[in-house]
Amino acid sequence: MGLSYSQPACRSAYAGDVHQLFTVLSEDPSQLNVQEPDSGDTPLIAACRRGNLRVVQYLLDNGADVHVTNQKQRTALHYVSRRTFSLLDYLVMAVLMPVLLIGYFIMLQKQRQTVSLMQMLLSSDANVNAVDHKGNTALHYVCERKSHRLVPLLLQKHADTHIPNHAGETPLDIATRLRFSNIVKMLKKTH
């Protein structure tokens, strides 16, 4: 089940339809950073929620604003850092795992996709230390999700490891509490 967007640019971005998005933006360039009335999502946030690499690249190439926040004060970077496998992904992987390890390769492909999305956003001037309505940065979310591949990308862009969220936890506190020792080591190297 996906999100439902009323803005044509957000709908196209979420669906991964670059051609439709091109048409929408050609007719009305102001749609590039349009925000949904209810959620405040932009086309870039919608594309990041869904993991649509081609759409994200297209939007960034056309000047989409990576700093716009939605109603939850989240940027596109927050949504990339929050990406996880869906229930359907897990079911497909479980069913296909015994068949030539196809499920494993699907999992690897989804992880690579998220790394590519993160790299795209970080190559723009995205604020790695932006906080959402819970006080979480992208680093908080990748630590919480044990994203070994994303933590170094954020640290290379000087993500602040000392920012406490509204619960008083820093990314290091989260990794320590969840016993993600490799992530704890990465974070401690920056201290």
Side-chain angles (χ1 to χ4, degrees):
M1 187 168 115
L3 295 171
S4 177
Y5 288 117
S6 64
Q7 296 294 332
C10 292
R11 241 189 342 262
S12 300
Y14 189 72
D17 191 340
V18 177
H19 299 293
Q20 180 62 33
L21 185 59
F22 172 80
T23 301
V24 169
L25 294 178
S26 295
E27 293 171 4
D28 184 4
S30 71
Q31 289 284 307
L32 181 63
N33 293 306
V34 69
Q35 290 188 271
E36 278 292 315
D38 294 333
S39 67
D41 286 2
T42 64
L44 183 60
I45 289 173
C48 287
R49 277 179 177 261
R50 194 68 179 267
N52 293 323
L53 284 167
R54 289 181 42 227
V55 174
V56 170
Q57 188 63 60
Y58 176 78
L59 289 166
L60 291 174
D61 288 347
N62 284 281
D65 188 345
V66 295
H67 299 104
V68 178
T69 60
N70 64 9
Q71 297 292 340
K72 293 183 177 182
Q73 298 174 322
R74 291 186 177 137
T75 64
L77 190 61
H78 282 106
Y79 285 100
V80 171
S81 62
R82 291 172 46 88
R83 285 189 52 76
T84 58
F85 294 115
S86 68
L87 179 59
L88 179 61
D89 292 332
Y90 281 117
L91 290 173
V92 168
M93 285 185 272
V95 168
L96 296 178
M97 191 66 80
V99 182
L100 300 173
L101 296 175
I102 293 173
Y104 176 73
F105 292 117
I106 291 171
M107 180 183 69
L108 284 179
Q109 180 58 30
K110 291 208 174 257
Q111 288 174 342
R112 284 188 203 114
Q113 179 184 32
T114 301
V115 168
S116 295
L117 281 168
M118 180 72 73
Q119 289 170 329
M120 277 183 210
L121 289 173
L122 292 176
S123 68
S124 67
D125 63 345
N127 179 2
V128 295
N129 295 314
V131 295
D132 68 5
H133 70 290
K134 294 181 179 182
N136 290 322
T137 64
L139 191 57
H140 282 89
Y141 288 119
V142 296
C143 288
E144 184 177 80
R145 284 164 174 69
K146 197 178 182 180
S147 300
H148 290 54
R149 295 177 180 184
L150 300 181
V151 170
L153 296 176
L154 290 167
L155 293 176
Q156 288 169 1
K157 289 293 185 172
H158 309 291
D160 190 339
T161 61
H162 296 59
I163 297 174
N165 61 17
H166 295 327
E169 288 186 307
T170 66
L172 179 59
D173 295 333
I174 291 171
T176 302
R177 174 174 50 83
L178 296 174
R179 297 183 182 152
F180 297 152
S181 58
N182 290 339
I183 292 177
V184 169
K185 287 175 194 172
M186 284 187 245
L187 294 173
K188 284 187 175 180
K189 283 182 184 177
T190 64
H191 277 76

